[in-house]
Amino acid sequence: MAHTHTWNDMSGSWHEMTHSARDMATITKAEPSRQAFLMLWAVFALMPIVVGIDKFTTGLANWSTYLAPWVNDIVPGNADQAMYAVGVVEIAAGILVALMPRIGGYVVATWLAAIIVNLVSQGEYYDIALRDFGLLVAAVALARLASTHHQSHT
């Protein structure tokens, strides 16, 4: 039976996150798998949000140059507008990881797989695609660790 998330579930996730923040402050005292979970959780909650916001500011990169021409042809609008939509999705993914890392980790991994296909299909950017593959594996590791180290509300 499917479980619907209520505000209480989300506040429970917030409680878990604030409790885990205390663990981050004393991370060296946590068991190694808990340390790994906390580091991955922090990175995969913050990184998509920061990169998503940058889709609007382009302070880190000119993101539209990474969009494969075939993708640009099938999305509405131009490459810059597509990157705005990508930014919204990435911000949402970061929030999902923050609240529900077990699900969010798999969502981010799937998103990274799509980015890898986009990059490799251009016949260039193999270095970035390889880095993103490493991030994909780390996102799956986060989801797996969350099944042990995060209170499940699903």
Side-chain angles (χ1 to χ4, degrees), residues 44-45 48-49 87-99 104-105 107-108 111:
F44 282 106
I49 293 171
V88 170
V89 170
E90 289 172 340
I91 292 166
I95 292 168
L96 180 62
V97 168
L99 296 176
V107 169
V108 169
W111 185 252

Side-chain angles (χ1 to χ4, degrees), residues 8-93:
N8 290 334
D9 290 341
M10 296 303 148
S11 64
S13 292
W14 179 254
H15 179 267
E16 172 69 12
M17 189 182 307
T18 56
H19 176 73
S20 294
R22 287 190 293 273
D23 284 355
M24 286 292 253
T26 59
I27 195 167
T28 58
K29 295 178 184 177
E31 64 179 273
S33 65
R34 177 80 177 159
Q35 290 175 4
F37 167 72
L38 292 171
M39 289 184 282
L40 290 170
W41 192 16
V43 167
F44 282 106
L46 293 175
M47 186 178 60
I49 293 171
V50 169
V51 174
I53 291 169
D54 194 61
K55 297 299 190 288
F56 297 92
T57 64
T58 63
L60 297 172
N62 180 3
W63 297 103
S64 59
T65 62
Y66 295 108
L67 190 64
W70 69 270
V71 175
N72 192 34
D73 291 342
I74 62 173
V75 297
N78 61 34
D80 290 331
Q81 293 165 333
M83 286 298 112
Y84 298 150
V86 165
V88 170
V89 170
E90 289 172 340
I91 292 166

Side-chain angles (χ1 to χ4, degrees), residues 61-148:
N62 180 3
W63 297 103
S64 59
T65 62
Y66 295 108
L67 190 64
W70 69 270
V71 175
N72 192 34
D73 291 342
I74 62 173
V75 297
N78 61 34
D80 290 331
Q81 293 165 333
M83 286 298 112
Y84 298 150
V86 165
V88 170
V89 170
E90 289 172 340
I91 292 166
I95 292 168
L96 180 62
V97 168
L99 296 176
M100 294 180 276
R102 193 178 71 169
I103 297 167
Y106 290 120
V107 169
V108 169
T110 302
W111 185 252
L112 286 163
I115 292 170
I116 292 166
V117 168
N118 171 73
L119 293 170
V120 171
S121 73
Q122 295 181 67
E124 54 184 317
Y125 303 123
Y126 296 112
D127 55 335
I128 299 170
L130 184 60
R131 180 213 53 209
D132 285 352
F133 180 74
L135 290 171
L136 182 154
V137 171
V140 171
L142 167 65
R144 297 296 303 134
L145 287 166
S147 67
T148 300

